[in-house]
Short mmCIF file of all heavy atoms in Angstrom, two decimals:
data_model
loop_
_atom_site.label_atom_id
_atom_site.label_comp_id
_atom_site.label_asym_id
_atom_site.label_seq_id
_atom_site.Cartn_x
_atom_site.Cartn_y
_atom_site.Cartn_z
N ALA X 1 0.87 -1.24 0.00
CA ALA X 1 -0.04 -0.01 0.00
C ALA X 1 0.87 1.29 0.02
O ALA X 1 0.59 2.23 -0.77
CB ALA X 1 -0.91 -0.02 1.21
N LYS X 2 1.86 1.19 0.77
CA LYS X 2 2.85 2.38 0.81
C LYS X 2 3.51 2.57 -0.55
O LYS X 2 3.66 3.66 -1.06
CB LYS X 2 3.89 2.14 1.88
CG LYS X 2 4.93 3.28 1.99
CD LYS X 2 5.94 3.05 3.04
CE LYS X 2 6.94 4.16 3.19
NZ LYS X 2 7.98 3.96 4.23
N LEU X 3 3.92 1.51 -1.22
CA LEU X 3 4.54 1.55 -2.59
C LEU X 3 3.65 2.24 -3.50
O LEU X 3 4.19 3.00 -4.41
CB LEU X 3 4.91 0.15 -3.00
CG LEU X 3 5.56 -0.06 -4.37
CD1 LEU X 3 6.88 0.48 -4.38
CD2 LEU X 3 5.58 -1.40 -4.86
N THR X 4 2.33 1.83 -3.50
CA THR X 4 1.39 2.36 -4.51
C THR X 4 0.79 3.67 -4.11
O THR X 4 -0.08 4.28 -4.89
CB THR X 4 0.35 1.30 -4.77
OG1 THR X 4 -0.45 0.98 -3.57
CG2 THR X 4 0.94 -0.02 -5.37
N GLY X 5 1.06 4.15 -2.94
CA GLY X 5 0.35 5.40 -2.40
C GLY X 5 -1.08 5.20 -2.09
O GLY X 5 -1.88 6.15 -2.18
N SER X 6 -1.40 3.96 -1.62
CA SER X 6 -2.77 3.64 -1.33
C SER X 6 -3.06 3.65 0.22
O SER X 6 -2.06 3.62 1.01
CB SER X 6 -3.14 2.28 -1.84
OG SER X 6 -2.91 2.15 -3.27
N ALA X 7 -4.29 3.78 0.59
CA ALA X 7 -4.65 3.65 2.01
C ALA X 7 -4.43 2.29 2.55
O ALA X 7 -4.60 1.26 1.85
CB ALA X 7 -6.09 4.15 2.19
N VAL X 8 -4.16 2.14 3.87
CA VAL X 8 -4.01 0.86 4.50
C VAL X 8 -5.46 0.27 4.84
O VAL X 8 -6.29 1.01 5.27
CB VAL X 8 -3.18 1.00 5.74
CG1 VAL X 8 -3.10 -0.29 6.59
CG2 VAL X 8 -1.76 1.54 5.42
N PRO X 9 -5.65 -0.98 4.59
CA PRO X 9 -6.97 -1.47 4.78
C PRO X 9 -7.34 -1.50 6.30
O PRO X 9 -6.43 -1.73 7.15
CB PRO X 9 -6.91 -2.97 4.19
CG PRO X 9 -5.46 -3.26 4.24
CD PRO X 9 -4.78 -1.97 3.95
N LEU X 10 -8.59 -1.26 6.68
CA LEU X 10 -9.07 -1.34 8.04
C LEU X 10 -9.44 -2.75 8.40
O LEU X 10 -9.56 -3.08 9.63
CB LEU X 10 -10.36 -0.52 8.23
CG LEU X 10 -10.05 0.99 7.98
CD1 LEU X 10 -11.37 1.73 8.05
CD2 LEU X 10 -9.04 1.56 8.88
N THR X 11 -9.49 -3.76 7.37
CA THR X 11 -9.79 -5.06 7.70
C THR X 11 -8.73 -5.81 8.60
O THR X 11 -7.56 -5.53 8.30
CB THR X 11 -9.80 -5.88 6.37
OG1 THR X 11 -10.77 -5.21 5.52
CG2 THR X 11 -10.26 -7.26 6.57
N PRO X 12 -9.11 -6.44 9.62
CA PRO X 12 -8.12 -7.17 10.43
C PRO X 12 -7.45 -8.18 9.55
O PRO X 12 -7.96 -9.08 8.90
CB PRO X 12 -8.88 -7.81 11.45
CG PRO X 12 -10.21 -7.06 11.55
CD PRO X 12 -10.50 -6.62 10.12
N LEU X 13 -6.11 -8.13 9.60
CA LEU X 13 -5.24 -9.01 8.82
C LEU X 13 -4.31 -9.83 9.69
O LEU X 13 -3.37 -9.24 10.28
CB LEU X 13 -4.48 -8.34 7.76
CG LEU X 13 -5.23 -7.40 6.75
CD1 LEU X 13 -4.24 -6.72 5.87
CD2 LEU X 13 -6.11 -8.39 5.81
N ALA X 14 -4.55 -11.14 9.90
CA ALA X 14 -3.76 -11.96 10.73
C ALA X 14 -3.78 -13.34 10.19
O ALA X 14 -4.74 -13.88 9.68
CB ALA X 14 -4.26 -11.88 12.25
N PRO X 15 -2.71 -14.10 10.47
CA PRO X 15 -2.63 -15.54 10.00
C PRO X 15 -3.61 -16.30 10.79
O PRO X 15 -3.81 -16.14 12.00
CB PRO X 15 -1.22 -15.95 10.22
CG PRO X 15 -0.70 -15.13 11.26
CD PRO X 15 -1.41 -13.73 11.08
N GLY X 16 -4.22 -17.34 10.15
CA GLY X 16 -5.05 -18.36 10.84
C GLY X 16 -6.50 -17.89 11.12
O GLY X 16 -7.19 -18.68 11.74
N VAL X 17 -6.86 -16.63 10.80
CA VAL X 17 -8.16 -16.22 11.06
C VAL X 17 -8.84 -15.79 9.68
O VAL X 17 -8.23 -15.37 8.74
CB VAL X 17 -8.27 -15.02 11.98
CG1 VAL X 17 -7.69 -15.45 13.39
CG2 VAL X 17 -7.49 -13.88 11.46
N PRO X 18 -10.11 -16.00 9.61
CA PRO X 18 -10.87 -15.62 8.32
C PRO X 18 -10.77 -14.08 8.06
O PRO X 18 -11.02 -13.29 8.89
CB PRO X 18 -12.35 -15.94 8.54
CG PRO X 18 -12.26 -17.01 9.70
CD PRO X 18 -11.13 -16.57 10.54
N ILE X 19 -10.38 -13.84 6.70
CA ILE X 19 -10.20 -12.40 6.30
C ILE X 19 -11.18 -12.09 5.22
O ILE X 19 -11.08 -12.87 4.13
CB ILE X 19 -8.75 -12.10 5.74
CG1 ILE X 19 -7.70 -12.40 6.86
CG2 ILE X 19 -8.64 -10.72 5.13
CD1 ILE X 19 -6.31 -12.33 6.29
N PRO X 20 -12.27 -11.28 5.40
CA PRO X 20 -13.14 -11.01 4.29
C PRO X 20 -12.39 -10.42 3.13
O PRO X 20 -11.55 -9.44 3.23
CB PRO X 20 -14.05 -9.95 4.89
CG PRO X 20 -13.82 -10.10 6.37
CD PRO X 20 -12.46 -10.42 6.55
N ALA X 21 -12.58 -10.88 1.91
CA ALA X 21 -11.98 -10.49 0.68
C ALA X 21 -12.92 -10.23 -0.40
O ALA X 21 -13.94 -11.00 -0.55
CB ALA X 21 -10.85 -11.45 0.21
N PRO X 22 -12.78 -9.12 -1.19
CA PRO X 22 -13.72 -8.88 -2.29
C PRO X 22 -13.80 -10.05 -3.33
O PRO X 22 -12.80 -10.79 -3.41
CB PRO X 22 -13.14 -7.66 -2.83
CG PRO X 22 -12.29 -6.99 -1.77
CD PRO X 22 -11.71 -8.13 -1.09
N GLU X 23 -14.83 -9.97 -4.04
CA GLU X 23 -14.94 -10.96 -5.19
C GLU X 23 -13.92 -10.84 -6.20
O GLU X 23 -13.44 -9.76 -6.50
CB GLU X 23 -16.38 -10.78 -5.74
CG GLU X 23 -16.81 -12.03 -6.45
CD GLU X 23 -18.38 -11.87 -6.82
OE1 GLU X 23 -18.71 -10.75 -7.27
OE2 GLU X 23 -19.10 -12.87 -6.65
N VAL X 24 -13.43 -11.97 -6.74
CA VAL X 24 -12.48 -12.03 -7.73
C VAL X 24 -13.10 -12.09 -9.10
O VAL X 24 -13.96 -12.99 -9.30
CB VAL X 24 -11.43 -13.14 -7.58
CG1 VAL X 24 -10.32 -13.15 -8.59
CG2 VAL X 24 -10.83 -13.09 -6.15
N HIS X 25 -12.71 -11.28 -10.04
CA HIS X 25 -13.18 -11.40 -11.44
C HIS X 25 -12.02 -11.56 -12.39
O HIS X 25 -11.70 -10.62 -13.18
CB HIS X 25 -14.03 -10.13 -11.72
CG HIS X 25 -15.30 -9.97 -10.94
ND1 HIS X 25 -16.38 -10.79 -11.21
CD2 HIS X 25 -15.64 -9.22 -10.01
CE1 HIS X 25 -17.32 -10.50 -10.28
NE2 HIS X 25 -16.87 -9.57 -9.53
N GLY X 26 -11.42 -12.77 -12.40
CA GLY X 26 -10.37 -13.08 -13.34
C GLY X 26 -10.95 -13.69 -14.57
O GLY X 26 -12.10 -14.19 -14.52
N PRO X 27 -10.23 -13.79 -15.67
CA PRO X 27 -10.68 -14.30 -16.85
C PRO X 27 -11.03 -15.79 -16.78
O PRO X 27 -11.96 -16.25 -17.59
CB PRO X 27 -9.60 -14.00 -17.90
CG PRO X 27 -8.40 -13.77 -17.04
CD PRO X 27 -8.79 -13.22 -15.74
N GLU X 28 -10.44 -16.49 -15.86
CA GLU X 28 -10.73 -17.95 -15.82
C GLU X 28 -10.69 -18.38 -14.33
O GLU X 28 -9.82 -18.13 -13.63
CB GLU X 28 -9.66 -18.78 -16.59
CG GLU X 28 -9.81 -18.83 -18.15
CD GLU X 28 -9.00 -19.85 -18.76
OE1 GLU X 28 -8.29 -20.55 -18.16
OE2 GLU X 28 -9.06 -20.00 -19.98
N GLY X 29 -11.80 -19.08 -13.95
CA GLY X 29 -11.86 -19.53 -12.63
C GLY X 29 -11.05 -20.84 -12.44
O GLY X 29 -10.69 -21.47 -13.38
N SER X 30 -10.73 -21.11 -11.16
CA SER X 30 -9.95 -22.26 -10.85
C SER X 30 -10.90 -23.55 -10.70
O SER X 30 -12.00 -23.43 -10.28
CB SER X 30 -9.20 -22.12 -9.49
OG SER X 30 -8.79 -23.36 -8.90
N ARG X 31 -10.46 -24.66 -11.23
CA ARG X 31 -11.32 -25.92 -11.15
C ARG X 31 -11.47 -26.21 -9.61
O ARG X 31 -12.46 -26.90 -9.22
CB ARG X 31 -10.56 -27.04 -11.85
CG ARG X 31 -10.61 -26.91 -13.33
CD ARG X 31 -10.12 -28.30 -13.90
NE ARG X 31 -10.30 -28.16 -15.33
CZ ARG X 31 -9.30 -27.77 -16.30
NH1 ARG X 31 -8.16 -27.37 -15.80
NH2 ARG X 31 -9.61 -27.79 -17.50
N ARG X 32 -10.58 -25.76 -8.75
CA ARG X 32 -10.81 -26.04 -7.30
C ARG X 32 -11.62 -24.98 -6.65
O ARG X 32 -11.91 -25.04 -5.47
CB ARG X 32 -9.41 -26.11 -6.61
CG ARG X 32 -8.58 -27.34 -7.03
CD ARG X 32 -7.24 -27.30 -6.30
NE ARG X 32 -6.31 -26.31 -6.84
CZ ARG X 32 -5.65 -25.50 -6.11
NH1 ARG X 32 -5.86 -25.48 -4.77
NH2 ARG X 32 -4.80 -24.60 -6.65
N ARG X 33 -12.08 -23.98 -7.47
CA ARG X 33 -12.99 -22.98 -7.00
C ARG X 33 -12.41 -22.25 -5.78
O ARG X 33 -13.18 -21.77 -5.01
CB ARG X 33 -14.43 -23.61 -6.60
CG ARG X 33 -14.99 -24.51 -7.73
CD ARG X 33 -16.27 -25.08 -7.26
NE ARG X 33 -17.37 -24.11 -7.39
CZ ARG X 33 -18.07 -23.92 -8.52
NH1 ARG X 33 -17.74 -24.58 -9.57
NH2 ARG X 33 -19.06 -23.07 -8.49
N ARG X 34 -11.08 -21.99 -5.85
CA ARG X 34 -10.37 -21.44 -4.74
C ARG X 34 -10.69 -19.92 -4.61
O ARG X 34 -10.32 -19.35 -3.62
CB ARG X 34 -8.94 -21.73 -4.75
CG ARG X 34 -8.17 -21.19 -6.02
CD ARG X 34 -6.88 -21.94 -6.12
NE ARG X 34 -6.17 -21.50 -7.38
CZ ARG X 34 -5.25 -20.60 -7.52
NH1 ARG X 34 -4.85 -19.96 -6.36
NH2 ARG X 34 -4.63 -20.26 -8.53
N PHE X 35 -11.11 -19.27 -5.66
CA PHE X 35 -11.29 -17.88 -5.61
C PHE X 35 -12.77 -17.51 -5.15
O PHE X 35 -13.06 -16.30 -5.01
CB PHE X 35 -11.09 -17.18 -6.90
CG PHE X 35 -9.60 -17.25 -7.35
CD1 PHE X 35 -9.30 -17.64 -8.64
CD2 PHE X 35 -8.66 -17.00 -6.42
CE1 PHE X 35 -7.92 -17.65 -9.04
CE2 PHE X 35 -7.26 -17.05 -6.80
CZ PHE X 35 -6.98 -17.39 -8.06
N GLU X 36 -13.59 -18.40 -4.96
CA GLU X 36 -15.02 -18.18 -4.75
C GLU X 36 -15.39 -17.90 -3.22
O GLU X 36 -16.34 -17.13 -3.00
CB GLU X 36 -15.89 -19.26 -5.35
CG GLU X 36 -15.76 -19.37 -6.86
CD GLU X 36 -16.61 -20.45 -7.43
OE1 GLU X 36 -17.58 -20.74 -6.87
OE2 GLU X 36 -16.20 -21.02 -8.50
N PRO X 37 -14.75 -18.42 -2.29
CA PRO X 37 -15.21 -18.23 -0.86
C PRO X 37 -15.01 -16.73 -0.56
O PRO X 37 -14.05 -16.03 -1.02
CB PRO X 37 -14.28 -18.95 -0.14
CG PRO X 37 -13.75 -20.17 -0.96
CD PRO X 37 -13.75 -19.51 -2.36
N ALA X 38 -15.90 -16.24 0.25
CA ALA X 38 -15.89 -14.74 0.52
C ALA X 38 -14.86 -14.39 1.60
O ALA X 38 -14.50 -13.26 1.82
CB ALA X 38 -17.31 -14.37 1.14
N GLU X 39 -14.24 -15.49 2.20
CA GLU X 39 -13.16 -15.21 3.10
C GLU X 39 -12.00 -16.07 2.86
O GLU X 39 -12.11 -17.16 2.29
CB GLU X 39 -13.67 -15.47 4.57
CG GLU X 39 -14.78 -14.59 5.05
CD GLU X 39 -15.23 -15.03 6.50
OE1 GLU X 39 -15.31 -16.28 6.82
OE2 GLU X 39 -15.59 -14.10 7.27
N ILE X 40 -10.82 -15.65 3.30
CA ILE X 40 -9.60 -16.44 3.08
C ILE X 40 -8.92 -16.59 4.45
O ILE X 40 -9.07 -15.73 5.32
CB ILE X 40 -8.54 -15.73 2.12
CG1 ILE X 40 -8.19 -14.39 2.54
CG2 ILE X 40 -9.13 -15.74 0.69
CD1 ILE X 40 -7.13 -13.76 1.70
N VAL X 41 -8.21 -17.69 4.60
CA VAL X 41 -7.47 -17.93 5.82
C VAL X 41 -6.07 -18.20 5.47
O VAL X 41 -5.73 -19.11 4.66
CB VAL X 41 -7.98 -19.13 6.64
CG1 VAL X 41 -7.18 -19.36 7.86
CG2 VAL X 41 -9.45 -18.95 7.02
N LEU X 42 -5.10 -17.36 5.92
CA LEU X 42 -3.67 -17.47 5.59
C LEU X 42 -3.02 -18.45 6.58
O LEU X 42 -2.96 -18.30 7.76
CB LEU X 42 -3.00 -16.09 5.67
CG LEU X 42 -3.42 -15.08 4.64
CD1 LEU X 42 -2.86 -13.71 4.87
CD2 LEU X 42 -3.06 -15.58 3.30
N GLU X 43 -2.46 -19.56 5.99
CA GLU X 43 -1.72 -20.57 6.78
C GLU X 43 -0.52 -20.96 5.89
O GLU X 43 -0.69 -21.24 4.68
CB GLU X 43 -2.64 -21.73 7.01
CG GLU X 43 -3.73 -21.47 7.97
CD GLU X 43 -4.64 -22.61 8.13
OE1 GLU X 43 -4.72 -23.58 7.26
OE2 GLU X 43 -5.24 -22.74 9.28
#
C-alpha cells in the first residue's frame, strides 16, 4: 500500500483467522473454486 500510495485496509489481517476479501473477477476460474469463498485464511 505504501509503494502504490494507497490507504491501508481497516480489515483485520492476521494468519489463521478468516479475512473478508472482495470478489475476484479473473478471466478464468480455478477448477478447485479457490477464488469463490468470501473469506480467506492465511496458513
Side-chain angles (χ1 to χ4, degrees):
K2 180 179 179 181
L3 177 74
T4 61
S6 305
V8 175
L10 299 177
T11 306
L13 300 174
V17 299
I19 300 172
E23 201 168 41
V24 183
H25 292 290
E28 285 194 356
S30 165
R31 287 191 175 91
R32 292 181 287 131
R33 310 178 78 86
R34 59 194 176 100
F35 294 135
E36 295 177 31
E39 296 179 324
I40 57 173
V41 178
L42 292 176
E43 295 178 330

